[in-house]
Amino acid sequence: MLGNHSSATEFYLLGFPGSRELHHILFAIFFFFYSVTLMGNMVIIVIVCVDRRLQSPMYFFLGHLSALEILVTTNIVPMMLWGLLLPGMQTISLAACVTQLFLYLSLGTTEFTLLGAMAVDRYMAVCNPLRYDIIMNSRTCIWVVIMSWVFGFLFQIWPVYATFQLTFCKSNVVNNFFCDRGQLLNLSCNNTLFIEFILFLMAVFILFGSLIPTIISYTYIISTIIKIPSVSGRRKAFSTCASHFTYVVIGYGTCLFLYVKPKQTQAAEYNRVASLMVLVVTPFLNPFIFTLRNEKFIEVFRDVMKRCSQLLKG
């Protein structure tokens, strides 16, 4: 669609293949997932903020993780839903494409940094309970969260800048439902081998830089739990980590397949499915993973609901 132009000032998002009927079914499914994601994560944020029983580092980090999930999905999913209702391809300006990609990568980097910090927090709670309150005080938690957000956004400035310094002369049709970096690199007529290698190294640094502390923390956690003599004690200790561990397996597993690969310009169908896992499925599962087996959160949630019902009746 570029004709004789040397680069793109706008892009066309190809979206999902299939008939109009299939698009309407996908719209209903993804709208349901998005709605539950928003409501579930908002409930977590509100309850963590209003109830003093959840004023601890674990729930403080969980509140920020839920905020990140809302932002990650809201950055892309509403546009994806709108594209499913359109009869043709969806148009996105160059500025909107840059913004969308930058927010997507920055929020994702922040999330992985925070997940690493949450693993260290669980290590301190299980392996050093006597020093936990001294080390993981409110000041430490606030600084950890601030540094996670700042690092996430600063780290992705160069990759996004480098991506859009390329000349897009092959086409301006992105074979995905959002401004996917792999597909953008595929549209460039420049030699992208070097930038793909640098982006690969940066993805490795982010994922493994937060995964290694997580693995080390859980190695110590498991060895500590095994040494607990009573079954109830082991179950209680493991229950404080089970939700985070489950989320780590799902989140890291998906992103390792999506980003840690030398070739960024891989098959569009593979990218589309993996992106849906990151943007739709994982944020949807977050409220269930962190709350369904958390007895303390369920107890607080019930109390908050009772108070709300009493206020409405009175």
Side-chain angles (χ1 to χ4, degrees), residues 18 37 61 66 77 91 100 108 122 133 139 147 153 178 206-207 218 222 226 228 235 255 282 288:
T37 298
F61 293 142
S66 294
V77 174
T91 306
Q100 187 184 68
R122 292 299 82 208
D133 291 333
R139 185 176 179 181
M147 293 306 296
F153 278 76
F178 72 107
I206 287 297
L207 290 175
Y218 274 103
I222 292 168
I226 291 171
I228 298 173
R235 188 182 293 114
C255 286
T282 306
F288 300 104

Side-chain angles (χ1 to χ4, degrees), residues 104-307:
Y104 172 60
L105 295 174
S106 299
L107 293 167
T109 303
T110 303
E111 187 168 327
F112 281 114
T113 308
L114 190 61
L115 282 173
M118 290 174 75
V120 176
D121 169 69
R122 292 299 82 208
Y123 159 75
M124 293 300 301
V126 175
C127 302
N128 287 291
L130 298 178
R131 300 178 61 196
Y132 179 71
D133 291 333
I134 298 170
I135 296 172
M136 298 302 295
N137 55 53
S138 59
R139 185 176 179 181
T140 301
C141 294
I142 290 168
W143 271 108
V144 166
V145 165
I146 290 173
M147 293 306 296
S148 296
W149 283 88
V150 171
F151 172 75
F153 278 76
L154 291 180
F155 189 82
Q156 292 298 341
I157 291 175
W158 183 85
V160 174
Y161 172 79
T163 300
F164 287 96
Q165 285 301 299
L166 299 170
T167 302
F168 303 104
C169 58
K170 291 181 181 177
S171 172
N172 59 350
V173 178
V174 179
N175 192 1
N176 211 329
F177 56 85
F178 72 107
C179 281
D180 175 30
R181 184 170 62 191
Q183 294 305 310
L184 288 170
L185 293 174
N186 205 31
L187 300 180
S188 174
C189 51
N190 303 95
N191 185 347
T192 61
L193 188 62
F194 175 73
I195 187 173
E196 285 187 51
F197 179 68
I198 297 299
L199 293 173
F200 167 71
L201 291 180
M202 294 181 76
V204 168
F205 175 77
I206 287 297
L207 290 175
F208 285 96
S210 56
L211 185 59
I212 289 170
T214 302
I215 293 172
I216 293 172
S217 296
Y218 274 103
T219 301
Y220 280 105
I221 287 169
I222 292 168
S223 65
T224 302
I225 291 174
I226 291 171
K227 294 174 185 176
I228 298 173
S230 66
V231 176
S232 60
R234 288 197 296 269
R235 188 182 293 114
K236 184 179 180 181
F238 183 74
S239 67
T240 64
C241 311
S243 298
H244 177 260
F245 182 77
T246 305
Y247 189 86
V248 163
V249 171
I250 295 172
Y252 279 95
T254 305
C255 286
L256 283 170
F257 281 110
L258 185 57
Y259 293 115
V260 182
K261 55 186 187 294
K263 189 67 176 172
Q264 293 281 327
T265 56
Q266 64 179 44
E269 289 304 318
Y270 179 96
N271 266 13
R272 190 179 285 110
V273 173
S275 298
L276 281 173
M277 287 294 296
V278 173
L279 293 165
V280 177
V281 179
T282 306
F284 169 79
L285 293 175
N286 178 53
F288 300 104
I289 292 171
F290 281 100
T291 60
L292 284 182
R293 296 189 64 183
N294 190 320
E295 293 178 5
K296 187 176 181 180
F297 187 92
I298 292 172
E299 179 188 343
V300 171
F301 178 74
R302 285 173 179 166
D303 290 345
V304 170
M305 289 298 100
K306 284 178 184 177
R307 274 184 276 167

